[in-house]
Amino acid sequence: MWNHIKSFLLMNVGALFVAVNVTYFLSPNDLATGGVSGLSIVMNTIFPGVSLGLIMIILNVLLFIVGVIFLGFQFGAKTIYASFALSFMVWGLETYFPIQEALSNDVLIQLIIGQIIAACGMAVVFHQGASTGGTDIIAMILNKYFSVEVGKGVLISDIAIAVSSVFVFGPGIGMYAFFGVILNGLVIDYALEQFEDNKEVVIISEESDEVRSYIVDKLGRGATIHQAKGAFNKEDKEVITTVLSRKEYTKLKKYMMLVDEHAFITVHKMNEILGENFKRLAS
């Protein structure tokens, strides 16, 4: 139950970060950096009487309807919730905590700070197994009917929205928006890497039995044992491979200094781990 509550709270915190960027950094500067929020900023200029948050809600409803028509019910409850939570948060911020003008005359610094805030928020949402919807649906449709990879589909959709802002706000703002799309992707990737803080550790030790017991009994992790032969002395050796968090690896390193300071250890950073006690392998 606590894990579900924690995931729900983190998802809302992530959505709030994105909403702050949309309300206080992107919208006042007419920066349409892709996604439903970017399209809403363009539409808000065409229909100034309608609030930005309400436009986002309407667009999300329309996109989900289109998604159901072309894709069926392939959307998780978390994604549906996160997309509408973001829309309502934008509506709430602009209604109860509005700003009259941009925070600064420097558009670039606002774009960079805002995109960093939003990317961190989106990374939190992604880490909870959800997304903020929007252009993800368009990307899934492109993937199903035109075999376009989902990642590329999202990028194509976001770039198309950024380019459309050129015709509404001019080439200067349009170029900022295009830069924002690229920056957002880079920061999201970096932020997600911080969540995936696991390491593959490969150990060759004379005290193989003790090391294996420590990993399994003390750290509570599994390990794989391989038989290998040294190239110089032709001796048979056991190679232990395990995956640990940064904290667990620090404990193992301290233990190795005590039990076998001459052990040979290699460490590899893992981008993604599926199965066992890690991320569920989705179908």
Side-chain angles (χ1 to χ4, degrees):
M1 178 63 70
W2 166 243
N3 287 334
H4 288 297
I5 295 173
K6 180 181 177 181
S7 177
F8 175 77
L9 293 175
L10 287 173
M11 198 160 45
N12 280 279
V13 170
L16 179 60
F17 277 26
V18 180
V20 166
N21 176 47
V22 173
T23 307
Y24 300 121
F25 294 92
L26 299 184
S27 181
N29 294 287
D30 297 327
L31 295 170
T33 57
V36 167
S37 58
L39 183 57
S40 298
I41 290 171
V42 174
M43 298 294 291
N44 188 234
T45 301
I46 300 173
F47 304 103
V50 185
S51 71
L52 179 63
L54 181 57
I55 293 175
M56 289 180 66
I57 294 171
I58 293 171
L59 287 177
N60 271 317
V61 170
L62 292 175
L63 283 170
F64 276 112
I65 291 174
V66 170
V68 169
I69 293 172
F70 287 97
L71 302 170
F73 293 93
Q74 297 185 12
F75 316 109
K78 286 185 177 181
T79 293
I80 295 174
Y81 173 79
S83 61
F84 284 102
L86 170 59
S87 302
F88 279 106
M89 285 179 182
V90 170
W91 174 81
L93 289 175
E94 66 178 354
T95 301
Y96 297 104
F97 305 98
I99 60 173
Q100 303 303 320
E101 58 184 14
L103 298 174
S104 167
N105 293 325
D106 191 332
V107 177
L108 180 60
I109 192 64
Q110 291 179 85
L111 173 64
I112 293 173
I113 293 175
Q115 291 299 85
I116 290 175
I117 293 172
C120 292
M122 291 179 70
V124 171
V125 173
F126 290 158
H127 193 63
Q128 305 313 308
S131 76
T132 53
T135 49
D136 292 359
I137 296 174
I138 299 174
M140 291 169 68
I141 293 174
L142 290 174
N143 175 258
K144 180 176 181 179
Y145 292 98
F146 300 100
S147 299
V148 177
E149 294 179 11
V150 174
K152 290 182 179 179
V154 172
L155 183 61
I156 291 171
S157 302
D158 288 347
I159 289 176
I161 293 171
V163 170
S164 71
S165 69
V166 173
F167 301 99
V168 178
F169 305 119
I173 295 298
M175 285 189 288
Y176 277 121
F178 179 80
F179 174 68
V181 171
I182 305 301
L183 177 64
N184 193 53
L186 293 174
V187 179
I188 288 176
D189 287 344
Y190 176 79
L192 284 172
E193 286 181 1
Q194 308 316 302
F195 286 110
E196 300 293 341
D197 195 27
N198 296 302
K199 303 175 186 296
E200 180 189 47
V201 184
V202 180
I203 306 163
I204 300 176
S205 170
E206 297 295 334
E207 308 297 335
S208 181
D209 290 338
E210 288 81 354
V211 175
R212 182 173 64 244
S213 297
Y214 181 80
I215 292 172
V216 175
D217 298 332
K218 300 298 183 180
L219 299 181
R221 289 296 188 183
T224 302
I225 309 298
H226 302 279
Q227 296 298 324
K229 179 176 290 188
F232 290 101
N233 53 25
K234 308 296 184 180
E235 291 183 358
D236 292 329
K237 297 179 180 293
E238 280 192 349
V239 180
I240 304 173
T241 302
T242 186
V243 177
L244 306 173
S245 67
R246 178 183 295 177
K247 185 177 181 179
E248 290 166 342
Y249 169 64
T250 301
K251 291 180 179 179
L252 176 64
K253 190 161 61 171
K254 290 180 179 179
Y255 175 78
M256 293 304 301
M257 291 174 64
L258 296 174
V259 72
D260 185 4
E261 62 180 12
H262 300 295
F264 182 78
I265 303 173
T266 58
V267 183
H268 310 276
K269 183 175 178 58
M270 310 304 291
N271 292 325
E272 185 175 31
I273 304 172
L274 304 175
E276 294 295 337
N277 297 320
F278 296 92
K279 188 186 298 183
R280 185 174 65 87
L281 182 62
S283 57

